[in-house]
Amino acid sequence: KMTVKAVKMPCTAPNVYTKVPDGGWGWTVAFAFFFVEALTYGIIKSFGVFFNDLMESFDETNSRISWIISICVFVQTFTAPLSTVLSNRFGHRFVVMAGGVLISTGMVTASFARTVVDMYVTIGIVSGLGYCLSFLPTVTILSQYFDKRRSLVTAVASTGECFAVFSFAPAITALKEQIGWRYSLLSVGVLQLSIVICGSLLRPIVIKEQEVVKAQPPEEPTETKYMLENEQTRTSIESIDSGVEITTSPSNVPGNTKAEPKSEEPKEHVQILVDNNSTPPEPKTKLLDFSVMRDYSFICYAFFGLFATLGFFAPSLYIIPLSLSLGISKDHSAYILSAMAIAEVFGRISAGWVLNKKPIRKIYIELICVVLLSVALFAFPFASEFWGLMTCSIFFGFMLGTVAGTHIPLLAEDDVVGIAKMSSAAGVYVFIQSLAGLAGPPLAGVLVDTTQNYSSAFYSCAAGMVLGAVFLSLVRPCKAGLCHRQQQCAEESAAAVVAPDLPDDFIEMDIGKAETSGKGGD
């Protein structure tokens, strides 16, 4: 029976486990991720409450003010590989804390901005980089603390973004009426400094497996019995140098020393407990492992993320203009957007609950959700009144929650890259997404300006989501084909090793013997 001694360590030391804990300190990490999600994506989605104030103060158009968030989101996703490199070099905790400082600095500085270009630099670049350094390492280390419950815990923790939209938007609006938009923005920046506290809770995790190896006795051993008083002395030399603890039985231990007659006691195998501390140190983790780009399943999954991102933004940006164009009042339009956010919460939790079931092929559940999300996008242009748009928004919000809360954690599944390469894969994956995040809104805007119809934006996003579903459907076949080829190569190499080297005259000797026996018979 193997026992693991608990070692008391300071709060800054890594948590060492023999297997993925599926809990423990991971619950604290999930708590931190909830607030990081609220203070990053929650603030980004609530930033629209400042739009009218910024247009009046800087005398700028809506499109130029919109570039503040566009640049911010692009920098956040484009610098994802940098976040991976820094996390592997300095640890997740330090990177998230540094990201919190950058976010707060950008927001506080933006409250003193005099032109919209100042906003591009402070919020777009400085805070955008901070968002990347805060969000991606947090979701990565959360996935390392959970295995069986990973999908459910990540989905529930990611609802911090949705709850933030409910609370921050009305709170900031009320605060602006009291102290103005500049001091309100300053207060938001100070509040985001609490990301540093969340980052301090991200204790690194180390998994050290211990394996028990049973040494089988030789085919024809010379059975002996060690003298009990000499047993410890004879095994001490090897055990001290190698760090291997050997447990032997006082009877039937093979050896070449003088022994008593054969004992009738039952045989016992030699049990060797291998301690990982005695093995040579593992090579250092690569700062950014680009080997994932040679994995066809990851390439397909990255293209899924690229095209699916086109469908994430359209309803939140164009649902209110679309409803106003149909003659729906502003208040009712706001209700539609709120209903979408509520449905997204239930979608995230439901997806986490379903993906937590065993056995289940999670990649296929994700594919079903993406297909239904495409249907929701195609349905928007056919809505002609309030309840039609409300139904489409609720359906879209629910399906958006199922995909948005799970598409990054699914990188840790063996069908994509696995938990070992998730850190590098997440950086490359989000980087590829940035291209669609930057090109998507302007593309939809051009279509709306050209056709003078908001429905065209929804059609373009639905087309992108369909392409994403096609690439997602190829992930599992690519992975299965790659594993089959690797297994085939392993079997061929094993067969080459097992085949014995026969002497050149082996066949000739056997033929000679056969001829001799034949003549004798005659």
Side-chain angles (χ1 to χ4, degrees):
K1 182 180 180 180
M2 182 180 66
T3 59
V4 180
K5 295 182 179 179
V7 180
K8 295 183 178 180
M9 295 174 295
C11 61
T12 57
N15 287 322
V16 181
Y17 298 93
T18 56
K19 63 178 183 179
V20 179
D22 248 344
W25 191 260
W27 297 116
T28 305
V29 177
F31 175 81
F33 177 64
F34 178 89
F35 284 98
V36 168
E37 184 91 12
L39 295 171
T40 54
Y41 280 103
I43 295 296
I44 291 175
K45 287 189 173 183
S46 304
F47 192 78
V49 299
F50 292 106
F51 269 34
N52 290 334
D53 302 288
L54 296 178
M55 285 189 293
E56 294 176 2
S57 298
F58 299 142
D59 192 21
E60 295 286 356
T61 61
N62 195 345
S63 60
R64 284 180 60 86
I65 298 298
S66 300
W67 273 104
I68 297 174
I69 295 301
S70 297
I71 294 174
C72 177
V73 173
F74 173 72
V75 171
Q76 176 189 0
T77 52
F78 187 80
T79 55
L82 175 63
S83 174
T84 300
V85 170
L86 294 177
S87 297
N88 290 335
R89 177 65 179 86
F90 300 105
H92 297 80
R93 172 187 288 156
F94 174 79
V95 174
V96 173
M97 294 174 69
V101 173
L102 285 176
I103 293 173
S104 179
T105 302
M107 281 292 186
V108 170
T109 308
S111 64
F112 300 98
R114 297 302 174 187
T115 63
V116 70
V117 177
D118 296 338
M119 287 281 191
Y120 293 162
V121 176
T122 54
I123 296 180
I125 297 178
V126 178
S127 293
L129 178 59
Y131 286 132
C132 178
L133 298 182
S134 298
F135 172 77
L136 197 57
T138 309
V139 70
T140 301
I141 194 171
L142 178 62
S143 299
Q144 295 175 0
Y145 269 95
F146 291 90
D147 182 17
K148 296 178 181 179
R149 301 172 179 172
R150 181 186 300 138
S151 299
L152 179 61
V153 172
T154 306
V156 173
S158 66
T159 58
E161 166 190 340
C162 306
F163 285 110
V165 174
F166 295 138
S167 56
F168 287 161
I172 294 174
T173 302
L175 191 63
K176 284 193 307 176
E177 297 177 358
Q178 301 295 326
I179 60 177
W181 72 267
R182 289 189 180 273
Y183 286 107
S184 299
L185 192 62
L186 177 65
S187 302
V188 171
V190 173
L191 177 63
Q192 288 179 309
L193 193 61
S194 58
I195 293 178
V196 176
I197 301 176
C198 297
S200 65
L201 300 175
L202 305 181
R203 291 177 61 177
I205 179 173
V206 177
I207 305 296
K208 286 189 176 182
E209 297 183 357
Q210 289 185 344
E211 48 184 43
V212 176
V213 181
K214 288 188 176 181
Q216 299 294 335
E219 296 180 359
E220 297 180 357
T222 305
E223 297 181 357
T224 63
K225 184 182 293 184
Y226 280 119
M227 299 299 295
L228 294 177
E229 62 271 12
N230 294 333
E231 180 180 343
Q232 185 176 0
T233 305
R234 295 183 180 183
T235 58
S236 60
I237 299 176
E238 293 181 356
S239 62
I240 292 175
D241 294 336
S242 61
V244 177
E245 180 184 350
I246 302 178
T247 305
T248 59
S249 172
S251 61
N252 297 316
V253 180
N256 295 323
T257 60
K258 293 182 180 181
E260 295 180 6
K262 181 178 178 180
S263 174
E264 298 299 329
E265 297 177 9
K267 296 181 180 180
E268 295 183 16
H269 298 307
V270 179
Q271 187 177 14
I272 304 175
L273 179 62
V274 179
D275 188 358
N276 281 349
N277 292 333
S278 63
T279 59
E282 297 180 358
K284 293 183 178 180
T285 305
K286 295 181 180 179
L287 296 182
L288 188 60
D289 188 2
F290 281 105
S291 64
V292 295
M293 297 300 294
R294 297 195 297 267
D295 191 336
Y296 293 138
S297 60
F298 173 75
I299 293 175
C300 291
Y301 198 82
F303 275 110
F304 150 69
L306 176 68
F307 290 107
T309 303
L310 295 174
F312 287 164
F313 65 87
S316 59
L317 287 179
Y318 294 107
I319 187 64
I320 291 182
L322 177 62
S323 60
L324 292 176
S325 66
L326 295 176
I328 300 174
S329 65
K330 291 183 179 181
D331 293 337
H332 285 77
S333 300
Y335 294 152
I336 294 176
L337 197 58
S338 299
M340 184 188 300
I342 295 173
E344 186 178 346
V345 174
F346 287 100
R348 289 173 182 263
I349 297 176
S350 300
W353 179 79
V354 171
L355 294 179
N356 196 51
K357 295 295 181 181
K358 296 287 185 178
I360 193 171
R361 185 67 69 180
K362 298 180 181 180
I363 200 75
Y364 292 151
I365 302 298
E366 185 82 354
L367 177 60
I368 295 173
C369 295
V370 172
V371 172
L372 293 177
L373 190 58
S374 304
V375 174
L377 286 168
F378 276 117
F380 272 103
F382 295 97
S384 57
E385 40 84 29
F386 172 76
W387 287 110
L389 278 181
M390 176 67 79
T391 303
C392 291
S393 297
I394 293 175
F395 181 47
F396 173 83
F398 183 87
M399 299 314 304
L400 177 64
T402 62
V403 177
T406 57
H407 68 109
I408 293 181
L410 274 182
L411 289 168
E413 299 298 324
D414 293 333
D415 282 340
V416 189
V417 296
I419 189 64
K421 294 184 178 181
M422 184 194 174
S423 180
S424 295
V428 177
Y429 175 76
V430 176
F431 169 77
I432 293 174
Q433 274 190 302
S434 68
L435 304 177
L438 182 65
L443 175 62
V446 169
L447 292 175
V448 171
D449 292 338
T450 303
T451 61
Q452 296 298 314
N453 189 349
Y454 289 105
S455 298
S456 58
F458 290 89
Y459 282 133
S460 65
C461 294
M465 192 65 67
V466 170
L467 286 175
V470 172
F471 281 104
L472 184 61
S473 66
L474 298 176
V475 172
R476 174 62 185 167
C478 289
K479 194 67 174 183
L482 180 62
C483 293
H484 179 69
R485 286 194 298 270
Q486 291 177 347
Q487 184 179 2
Q488 221 173 12
C489 295
E491 290 176 353
E492 292 176 358
S493 60
V497 172
V498 172
D501 295 331
L502 301 178
D504 295 337
D505 58 346
F506 180 79
I507 300 178
E508 297 177 0
M509 293 171 60
D510 284 350
I511 294 175
K513 291 180 180 179
E515 291 178 352
T516 304
S517 61
K519 290 179 181 180
D522 293 340

